[in-house]
Amino acid sequence: MTDVQEVSAAEETEVSESQIAVHWREEENYYPPATFISQANAADPAIFERFSEEHFPECFKEYADLLTWDRYWNTTLDTSNPPFWKWFVGGRLNACFNCVDRHLASSRDKAAFIWVPEPEDEETKAITYQELYRRVNEFAVLLRDFGGVKTGDRITFHLPMVPELPVSMFACARLGVIHSEVFGGFSGAACGQRIADSESRILVTMDAYYRQGELIDHKAKADEAVEEARKQGVEVEKVLVWRRYPGEYRSESPMVDGRDFFVDEVLKDYHDQLVEPVSMPAEAPLFLMYTSGTTGQPKGCEHSTGGYLAYVAGTSKYYQDIHPEDTYWCFADIGWITGHSYIVYGPLALGTTSVMYEGVPTYPDAGRPWRIAERLGVNIFHTAPTTIRMLRKLGPDEPTKYNYRFKHMTTVGEPIEPDVWRWYHEAVGKGQAVIVDTWWQTENGGFLGSTLPALQPMKPGSCGPGVLGIYPVIYDEQGEVVEAGSGKAGNICIRNPWPGIFQTIWRQDERFVQTYYEKYCRNKESKDWHDWPYFAGDGAVQADDGYFRILGRVDDVINVAGHRLGTKELESATITVDEVAEAAAVPVVDELRGRAVEMYVSLKPGVDPSDDIEGKVEKAIETQIGKIARPKSVWVVPDMPKTRSGKIMRRVIAGISNFADVGDVTTLANPEIVDEIREQVQSEKMARGEVPRELSPEEMEEIKAFGRAE
Ligand code: WTA
């Protein structure tokens, strides 16, 4: 037994959950500098009163009023069909008009986007609002006249971080067509599955893009995607291929006659053409964003036009502190919700300049982001802990070499270790920038937990309280409130609806209700929103001061480098390998990526474990999901620990992988297997030098909770 195990085993037997909490060290507060406060969009504490529960839901008028409405709404919140909340009912607007057209009068020549290609010798491109307007219109006409799409149709994009992605998004929004962007790093098969689910007849893709110094052939994935969609019964009629270098095709994959078209060629027929933005009901869906869940297929989170846009505009203004004259850089991928809300829709609704970067943070070296920031005059910087950890590891002193100045920084997507937070603050922020740690999810549209930067102190490792108009609560498994300061962890929920909440899981209303509302619904007949708390699926603990620490998922989702991966998806991909009988995916604490995936597999009788199972499993996961999901290790084990009813106990395996306590195993059908697997896995890990650091109490809590939803 290692020391780590001894300690945790002792804790487990003698110390109750509430006592463990005593060890949760409180971090000190950091206060925003006066220079920030004096210019902040939200600097008057009266704002808390305006968004207090007494003023709910009318408080969100303040967000909606940031937009230009074709017709004003008559009902702020319609709760007649819980939990399918409707915001700003009766209102009409167009999201593209709000993000593009309406800024032309004042900001025609200002950059809407500044796009930085990954190769450093390639020219950075500024796309003015006027230029964006032209490009969006032309592509919208193309989609309508050449693509034959109409309002309400879905289009799938599989695009990397290029300006053509927001151009395509806005073109759809202009027509009232629902876009569904699939992260460029996902495999063709994963894309095809999402095409099929959303029944898209058009796929928009790109021939190639740069990543880590390499021009990646991307079009090849389109063929796999079309094939997969066909298997699932949906026929893609047109594949529209943007070219990284217009006029030059950089993919090896042949263009299919009559199906595949180069956008730059077709666009010639639509030169300078305009199309009126379609006035959409506030409740019309704007886009789908697929995310992983506990069971089965990824869920298409459907986001509304009015509520979503109002919410991202409002939170961008107050929490990102975006002013039109700022140069704002959210270093995320538009293929995730963060990019939709806080690279594209939020910042552009406010008419600011949004920076987009094509590649990886450390290419060609860990000074790259700071060179970009210096050269472009970025003053708001927004990224994920994984990126911060990586930059700290590879270039702890790089920021000091560059002359940029951030007023504001954001961290999003995963818990950030206080140590990493402090480096972000000191080194990256040069001690002068405020930090907001923003907690939220694909389903939420925008932030749920954060400090209001000029008015609430920061605390490393805590996201802060609920944001304006969001009233969170922690419930235990029985639905009792876990009090702030009790030190106990529980399930964080949001008591109220808010404009950014997704409308449903695309075509799966029942799953929507069941996943997010069933657990704590007090009365299914009730039309009162108070009876319908939103279950976020995260464990959290609330300190005396009301600040939340998010511990991680309580369902079977693994957050790898800020990307949600469902254990079910990983396992389904793994069992496509012929030799594999059973598979289980668990999270393991990883220094850089926060969490990594480890796969456990047992083989069919008579199969030889030496048969490069590991390689086959990796390949299968890469093909079915994408490289981001590649497991850190694949363990071929004689059997899985199982309950008497035959369920694989992921919690137990997760404990083994993390050198943590495995909890009670006496009720297993095969308790003896636990020691056997532990010996096999841990001795191999020790030999490889892969013993994880001692887990923090928060991490321990998370590992213990893993698979609880089973
Ligand atoms: C986790 C990303 C701690 C959480 C916007 C959540 C966080 C999941 C934070 C959603 C944070 C997000 N601190 N954990 N600030 N932000 N998470 O859907 O577990 O990709 O449920 O949305 O990431 O991930 P998603």
Side-chain angles (χ1 to χ4, degrees):
M1 236 193 199
T2 64
D3 290 354
V4 181
Q5 268 180 287
E6 248 155 30
V7 171
S8 57
E11 264 182 4
E12 182 61 26
T13 46
E14 291 158 23
V15 185
S16 73
E17 223 170 285
S18 58
Q19 284 169 296
I20 288 177
V22 176
H23 303 299
W24 292 2
R25 189 160 67 91
E26 275 307 308
E27 299 289 333
E28 76 211 272
N29 284 340
Y30 288 64
Y31 292 85
T35 46
F36 179 82
I37 299 172
S38 63
Q39 59 80 62
N41 282 329
D44 178 356
I47 198 165
F48 295 118
E49 173 56 24
R50 295 206 300 277
F51 281 87
S52 68
E53 209 166 328
E54 258 161 88
H55 297 124
F56 179 87
E58 294 307 322
C59 53
F60 283 115
K61 177 176 184 299
E62 188 164 334
Y63 284 3
D65 281 342
L66 295 171
L67 306 179
T68 304
W69 294 79
D70 303 330
R71 195 168 81 202
Y72 219 57
W73 64 93
N74 44 46
T75 308
T76 305
L77 172 62
D78 171 355
T79 63
S80 60
N81 183 25
F84 301 90
W85 317 118
K86 291 194 167 69
W87 284 89
F88 310 122
V89 182
R92 296 187 84 97
L93 78 169
N94 182 278
C96 176
F97 177 87
N98 271 278
C99 293
V100 185
D101 305 39
R102 69 171 177 151
H103 303 309
L104 293 178
S106 64
S107 313
R108 186 176 302 269
D109 297 324
K110 173 170 150 178
F113 291 106
I114 300 179
W115 180 63
V116 183
E118 193 192 66
E120 219 161 356
D121 54 4
E122 229 176 79
E123 201 189 335
T124 290
K125 290 192 183 127
I127 298 147
T128 62
Y129 274 94
Q130 175 64 33
E131 170 83 1
L132 182 62
Y133 174 75
R134 185 185 62 76
R135 295 189 61 179
V136 166
N137 270 283
E138 288 180 354
F139 193 57
V141 180
L142 184 154
L143 287 178
R144 186 192 62 189
D145 294 354
F146 182 73
V149 295
K150 46 185 197 325
T151 301
D153 286 353
R154 280 79 54 209
I155 297 189
T156 297
F157 307 154
H158 197 197
L159 287 169
M161 278 295 283
V162 289
E164 287 74 12
L165 173 49
V167 165
S168 304
M169 290 162 72
F170 287 137
C172 284
R174 197 166 188 82
L175 300 171
V177 166
I178 303 166
H179 59 76
S180 169
E181 153 73 359
V182 177
F183 171 58
F186 273 132
S187 68
C191 178
Q193 185 183 33
R194 289 155 174 80
I195 291 174
D197 189 76
S198 61
E199 294 171 283
S200 299
R201 289 179 302 107
I202 293 191
L203 170 64
V204 181
T205 188
M206 185 165 247
D207 60 343
Y209 64 97
Y210 276 99
R211 191 137 191 101
Q212 199 93 50
E214 194 192 328
L215 190 66
I216 307 224
D217 187 335
H218 188 61
K219 162 64 169 59
K221 288 184 178 175
D223 301 313
E224 294 161 19
V226 170
E227 193 48 45
E228 179 65 32
R230 181 175 300 143
K231 269 196 232 154
Q232 300 194 17
V234 171
E235 196 60 38
V236 173
E237 289 163 17
K238 287 196 171 79
V239 178
L240 304 178
V241 186
W242 291 99
R243 286 190 281 194
R244 175 68 173 68
Y245 300 96
E248 299 169 37
Y249 187 46
R250 296 298 187 91
S251 164
E252 299 290 313
S253 152
M255 294 289 279
V256 175
D257 211 28
R259 186 198 75 183
D260 299 355
F261 302 91
F262 292 128
V263 177
D264 55 300
E265 282 177 0
V266 185
L267 270 177
K268 290 182 185 139
D269 295 340
Y270 302 99
H271 186 66
D272 268 349
Q273 292 197 24
L274 298 179
V275 52
E276 276 299 301
V278 178
S279 188
M280 299 297 292
E283 273 300 296
L286 178 61
F287 66 87
L288 305 181
M289 169 67 60
Y290 282 84
T291 192
S292 296
T294 308
T295 51
Q297 301 253 317
K299 309 175 276 196
C301 297
E302 178 189 314
H303 284 283
S304 73
T305 305
Y308 170 81
L309 199 62
Y311 197 68
V312 296
T315 49
S316 292
K317 178 168 179 183
Y318 292 141
Y319 286 90
Q320 292 305 117
D321 199 51
I322 291 177
H323 300 60
E325 59 278 13
D326 288 324
T327 300
Y328 165 85
W329 183 15
C330 173
F331 193 167
D333 197 294
I334 297 175
W336 307 108
I337 192 69
T338 295
H340 274 50
S341 299
Y342 296 111
I343 297 177
V344 180
Y345 284 113
L348 267 74
L350 298 179
T352 196
T353 298
S354 181
V355 175
M356 287 178 64
Y357 171 57
E358 179 180 32
V360 300
T362 52
Y363 185 83
D365 58 72
R368 184 67 190 279
W370 322 130
R371 282 199 290 287
I372 294 172
E374 177 185 84
R375 185 161 53 88
L376 303 182
V378 171
N379 66 340
I380 306 179
F381 185 71
H382 183 157
T383 198
T386 290
T387 305
I388 304 169
R389 287 190 288 259
M390 200 188 299
L391 291 166
R392 173 168 100 146
K393 177 158 188 210
L394 298 180
D397 303 320
E398 286 300 309
T400 54
K401 300 181 190 160
Y402 299 94
N403 189 19
Y404 64 83
R405 189 178 173 283
F406 295 152
K407 67 167 182 176
H408 180 294
M409 304 193 303
T410 306
T411 166
V412 61
E414 320 154 58
I416 185 165
E417 300 79 359
D419 226 32
V420 177
W421 190 99
R422 277 187 282 270
W423 180 77
Y424 196 34
H425 186 254
E426 293 313 313
V428 179
K430 306 183 174 180
Q432 299 168 338
V434 293
I435 297 181
V436 290
D437 179 344
T438 57
W439 165 70
W440 59 297
Q441 314 170 303
T442 304
E443 294 87 337
N444 309 150
F447 305 147
L448 292 183
S450 169
T451 51
L452 197 50
L455 294 170
Q456 291 166 324
M458 312 159 234
K459 192 160 78 172
S462 296
C463 67
V467 299
L468 296 168
I470 299 286
Y471 320 120
V473 61
I474 299 179
Y475 289 124
D476 66 15
E477 285 300 307
Q478 285 69 46
E480 297 299 325
V481 174
V482 177
E483 297 297 338
S486 68
K488 285 195 190 158
N491 297 320
I492 187 163
C493 296
I494 309 299
R495 291 195 289 109
N496 61 304
W498 66 97
I501 181 68
F502 70 139
Q503 300 173 293
T504 188
I505 301 172
W506 180 251
R507 303 251 159 105
Q508 295 188 64
D509 287 351
E510 256 171 56
R511 188 176 172 198
F512 168 75
V513 178
Q514 191 215 329
T515 310
Y516 301 96
Y517 293 97
E518 204 137 84
K519 191 169 172 83
Y520 292 118
C521 178
R522 274 182 278 277
N523 170 10
K524 285 188 112 180
E525 303 308 312
S526 170
K527 308 253 182 257
D528 180 350
W529 62 258
H530 293 87
D531 290 323
W532 293 87
Y534 167 82
F535 171 66
D538 276 321
V541 57
Q542 189 178 26
D544 271 333
D545 55 13
Y547 281 30
F548 294 96
R549 273 196 199 192
I550 305 300
L551 306 175
R553 305 288 310 187
V554 296
D555 54 11
D556 296 333
V557 171
I558 305 179
N559 191 333
V560 178
H563 304 152
R564 275 163 69 170
L565 300 172
T567 49
K568 284 282 168 2
E569 289 160 66
L570 291 156
E571 291 159 7
S572 309
T574 302
I575 55 175
T576 62
V577 175
D578 259 354
E579 293 87 341
V580 172
E582 284 184 311
V586 296
V588 62
V589 171
D590 182 88
E591 193 200 342
L592 285 183
R593 292 174 292 178
R595 298 290 173 271
V597 173
E598 290 197 358
M599 285 307 306
Y600 282 71
V601 298
S602 64
L603 304 179
K604 290 178 183 158
V607 176
D608 179 4
S610 63
D611 204 12
D612 190 27
I613 303 296
E614 191 168 334
K616 288 179 185 166
V617 168
E618 278 174 8
K619 182 82 200 134
I621 290 179
E622 216 176 283
T623 320
Q624 302 285 320
I625 307 174
K627 282 202 174 110
I628 45 159
R630 214 187 299 166
K632 186 167 177 170
S633 307
V634 177
W635 304 107
V636 180
V637 294
D639 197 5
M640 300 283 183
K642 286 186 193 146
T643 61
R644 298 221 167 96
S645 59
K647 274 190 186 162
I648 299 175
M649 291 297 286
R650 294 193 185 77
R651 163 177 70 77
V652 172
I653 318 176
I656 291 174
S657 270
N658 289 284
F659 287 75
D661 185 73
V662 297
D664 181 16
V665 297
T666 52
T667 56
L668 296 188
N670 53 351
E672 69 292 343
I673 198 73
V674 176
D675 283 336
E676 199 176 323
I677 300 179
R678 182 191 285 123
E679 170 58 27
Q680 175 194 347
V681 170
Q682 295 189 348
S683 60
E684 174 65 24
K685 282 189 174 219
M686 285 194 271
R688 289 189 201 163
E690 270 182 24
V691 181
R693 58 178 163 73
E694 189 168 347
L695 303 192
S696 69
E698 290 88 342
E699 288 162 344
M700 206 84 89
E701 192 72 31
E702 181 200 326
I703 299 297
K704 261 184 13 197
F706 186 71
R708 196 160 68 191
E710 282 171 276

